[in-house]
Amino acid sequence: MAMIEMRGVSKWFGDFRVLDGCTTRVEKGDVVVVCGPSGSGKSTLIKTVNGLEPFQEGEVRVDGVSVAARGTDLTRLRSRVGMVFQHFELFPHLTVLRNLTLAQERVLRRSRAEADAKALALLERVGLRDQAAKHPGQLSGGQQQRVAIARALSMDPVVMLFDEPTSALDPEMVSEVLDVMVGLAREGMTMMVVTHEMGFARQVASRVIFMDQGRIVEDVAKDAFFGAPQERSPRAQQFLSKVLAH
Amino acid sequence: MNYHWNWGVFLQEAPEGGVRYWELLVAGLGWTLAVSCLAWVIALAAGVLVGTLRTVPGRLLPGLAAAWVELFRNVPLLVQMFLWYFVLPELLPPLKRLLADADPTTAQFAAAVLCLGLFTSARIAEQVRAGIRSLPRGQREAAAAVGLTTAQAYRHVLLPMALRIVVPPLTSEAMNLIKNSSVALTIGLAELTFRARELGEYTFSYFEAFTAATLIYVAIAMSANRAMAWIERRVAVPGYIAGGGR
């Protein structure tokens, strides 16, 4: 069964069509990279998966549960879908450790000891255990994004969404974040990643989705996307020639 | 200026008998502090609640909160004081009967506290609303993404930061409240300005009386200022630069 299933998802802001009949499936363990020019609807698309972006038409199912259905417990669904944001969005008034334990305790009802143990193990994994007592503002951008990934993982998600996780980082901090993401992908995490990091896509993506003007223009295996550009749509070829030029 | 200062006037006995003028000023200061402190508690509680409700999703609650703010902000403070003290008991006969037997000071005090508390709450609500609105939209999304409910997001993520941000403007509101409490003299409450004016009328030492009152107001306002500055330092978030953190 597909972990994420989108069927004919459309969204309008007034007359402007942000998403236009988007249909795709993400199987368990898939790593799907979503790319395309800015304003093409990439972020909006992945935010429909955890209900952060409502849509007017179509259906999104996560692990069989419909996101937009009236009876859906959206907070429960969201707790099973991890999300990493462009601007990290750590909670600045909480320590790194509390950033990782807040939702574990409040949403999953884990005990403080259990949540702390989980948080410290995840911080260890992203190489930041010694920063647990600090506040987010005291960390570098790359460190903050690694904490944000650990925060999302602390909820034991079945899917991870990444919304341009490296676009706000200084260049020398990009790789430390990508390394963590590559590790996750290799462990079999189901991931949807909006990114311009084509190196990451080549390394671990199973499929690449290319979007333009709210539409999914390409939805193909990685090798087809990078290996056979002549078979791609003109818009995708144009995009590829720009991002792969250097 | 050829004014003959007579500071000895404070040691003279007042016509009310058995007390000296300085003691009346101190008693007035007591009422000023009592009204200000209680009104501040009401203003803070109602203001944070109403300001928060102005930002929640939906129509009804933000609408009611907006009506509250308009009501208490658009009617002059002096008029509100008269409404609470003179008009409200006429509209509520049981209240009027209750007040007929009570010490008039009690009614004056209650009216002043309610009037100043609710008047200031509208102003605090606007500050709190602005504080919440100033947070990045991603904070709300991040809280939702980890599965927190809207109420939990406000309690654990949005309000802790918003309230820190509004401490400086709330300092001004606290100082305004203290100075506004002098309006209570119009309904007969014997607070500091009332006593200063009384002293002037009885002894013609207006300059001395109002110099003393002015110095006392300055001292209270500065104390409030220092107290808020202390709170601001106590709750400061390590590494977070207000307004320009990212």
Side-chain angles (χ1 to χ4, degrees):
Chain A
M1 190 179 64
M3 194 56 103
I4 301 171
E5 198 175 357
M6 297 187 176
R7 271 210 309 265
V9 177
S10 293
K11 178 186 176 79
W12 291 264
F13 283 128
D15 284 339
F16 180 64
R17 198 159 192 168
V18 203
L19 294 178
D20 188 353
C22 295
T23 299
T24 190
R25 285 165 70 91
V26 179
E27 304 295 331
K28 191 166 187 302
D30 271 0
V31 175
V32 174
V33 164
V34 184
C35 61
S38 50
S40 59
K42 312 175 297 272
S43 296
T44 312
L45 184 78
I46 68 162
K47 283 181 179 175
T48 61
V49 174
N50 61 351
L52 287 182
E53 287 282 0
F55 47 90
Q56 283 95 353
E57 253 178 33
E59 188 178 36
V60 177
R61 285 180 174 273
V62 178
D63 208 7
V65 180
S66 168
V67 173
R70 198 161 288 173
T72 300
D73 181 352
L74 205 52
T75 57
R76 191 180 135 67
L77 184 145
R78 282 171 175 157
S79 72
R80 304 182 66 225
V81 179
M83 176 134 201
V84 175
F85 296 85
Q86 183 177 2
H87 293 286
F88 329 134
E89 303 303 347
L90 294 173
F91 307 136
H93 60 296
L94 300 178
T95 62
V96 165
L97 185 68
R98 287 295 291 147
N99 263 277
L100 269 68
T101 58
L102 174 67
Q104 289 191 67
E105 290 173 28
R106 300 285 158 179
V107 180
L108 302 181
R109 304 263 157 232
R110 287 179 183 156
S111 70
R112 171 64 70 95
E114 198 185 348
D116 279 356
K118 177 100 193 168
L120 288 170
L122 284 165
L123 287 174
E124 177 83 53
R125 170 180 176 159
V126 297
L128 292 170
R129 186 175 170 137
D130 52 338
Q131 312 287 332
K134 287 196 180 163
H135 282 74
Q138 296 170 302
L139 304 184
S140 73
Q143 290 174 322
Q144 289 189 55
Q145 195 61 302
R146 284 187 280 154
V147 171
I149 294 172
R151 176 177 70 181
L153 292 175
S154 73
M155 304 297 285
D156 292 323
V158 294
V159 175
M160 285 283 285
L161 307 173
F162 293 84
D163 185 11
E164 304 207 24
T166 57
S167 323
L169 295 175
D170 291 336
E172 72 265 32
M173 290 170 185
V174 169
S175 66
E176 64 189 70
V177 171
L178 288 179
D179 287 347
V180 174
M181 292 169 59
V182 168
L184 264 180
R186 298 227 157 108
E187 279 169 31
M189 174 63 79
T190 310
M191 295 162 64
M192 273 187 101
V193 185
V194 174
T195 185
H196 297 298
E197 298 291 338
M198 290 301 123
F200 172 81
R202 287 180 169 216
Q203 206 177 342
V204 295
S206 27
R207 264 190 10 254
V208 178
I209 288 178
F210 174 77
M211 291 187 71
D212 189 33
Q213 297 179 348
R215 274 191 296 272
I216 293 181
V217 179
E218 300 279 352
D219 185 356
V220 293
K222 169 187 66 177
D223 294 337
F225 191 75
F226 292 110
Q230 65 284 358
E231 289 166 28
R232 306 277 69 83
S233 66
R235 191 67 190 88
Q237 285 189 33
Q238 193 188 357
F239 179 80
L240 270 172
S241 70
K242 295 230 170 77
V243 295
L244 299 178
H246 46 87
Chain B
M1 195 169 96
N2 213 353
Y3 182 75
H4 179 68
W5 293 91
N6 174 22
W7 295 108
V9 68
F10 296 112
L11 298 176
Q12 288 172 20
E13 200 164 304
E16 287 175 35
V19 288
R20 294 170 197 282
Y21 281 118
W22 71 268
E23 290 173 288
L24 288 181
L25 275 185
V26 169
L29 167 64
W31 283 113
T32 292
L33 289 177
V35 167
S36 301
C37 289
L38 265 178
W40 181 244
V41 171
I42 293 175
L44 212 52
V48 170
L49 179 67
V50 172
T52 302
L53 290 180
R54 288 206 74 177
T55 66
V56 299
R59 289 246 178 92
L60 180 66
L61 291 174
L64 288 174
W68 175 284
V69 170
E70 294 309 323
L71 176 66
F72 289 107
R73 202 171 54 159
N74 292 345
V75 179
L77 179 61
L78 187 58
V79 174
Q80 290 191 37
M81 196 64 89
F82 288 165
L83 288 175
W84 282 107
Y85 187 64
F86 296 115
V87 179
L88 188 71
E90 297 299 327
L91 299 176
L92 295 171
L95 178 66
K96 191 174 183 183
R97 279 195 295 279
L98 191 74
L99 290 176
D101 303 327
D103 180 354
T105 310
T106 310
Q108 290 158 0
F109 180 69
V113 166
L114 277 173
C115 172
L116 286 160
L118 298 184
F119 174 79
T120 309
S121 81
R123 304 177 55 92
I124 291 180
E126 285 300 272
Q127 305 288 4
V128 169
R129 178 174 78 126
I132 295 171
R133 288 253 185 271
S134 75
L135 299 175
R137 174 168 173 241
Q139 287 284 297
R140 198 183 279 266
E141 290 189 337
V146 289
L148 296 176
T149 62
T150 303
Q152 286 174 325
Y154 273 97
R155 158 78 183 78
H156 297 290
V157 176
L158 301 176
L159 282 175
M161 279 316 292
L163 292 180
R164 282 174 167 89
I165 291 169
V166 299
V167 170
L170 288 194
T171 305
S172 316
E173 295 304 336
M175 294 164 78
N176 279 339
L177 171 58
I178 292 160
K179 291 176 281 184
N180 284 340
S181 70
S182 60
V183 172
L185 79 85
T186 57
I187 58 170
L189 185 71
E191 47 69 67
L192 183 54
T193 307
F194 181 100
R195 289 302 187 188
R197 202 173 65 156
E198 182 185 57
L199 197 161
E201 278 167 2
Y202 283 141
T203 64
F204 295 104
S205 299
Y206 281 104
F207 282 8
E208 289 82 350
F210 280 102
T211 303
T214 302
L215 290 175
I216 293 171
Y217 276 117
V218 169
I220 308 172
M222 281 175 65
S223 309
N225 194 350
R226 300 305 290 269
M228 295 294 274
W230 180 79
I231 291 172
E232 197 179 345
R233 276 196 308 277
R234 272 297 301 271
V235 301
V237 173
Y240 184 84
I241 305 124
R246 63 180 77 217

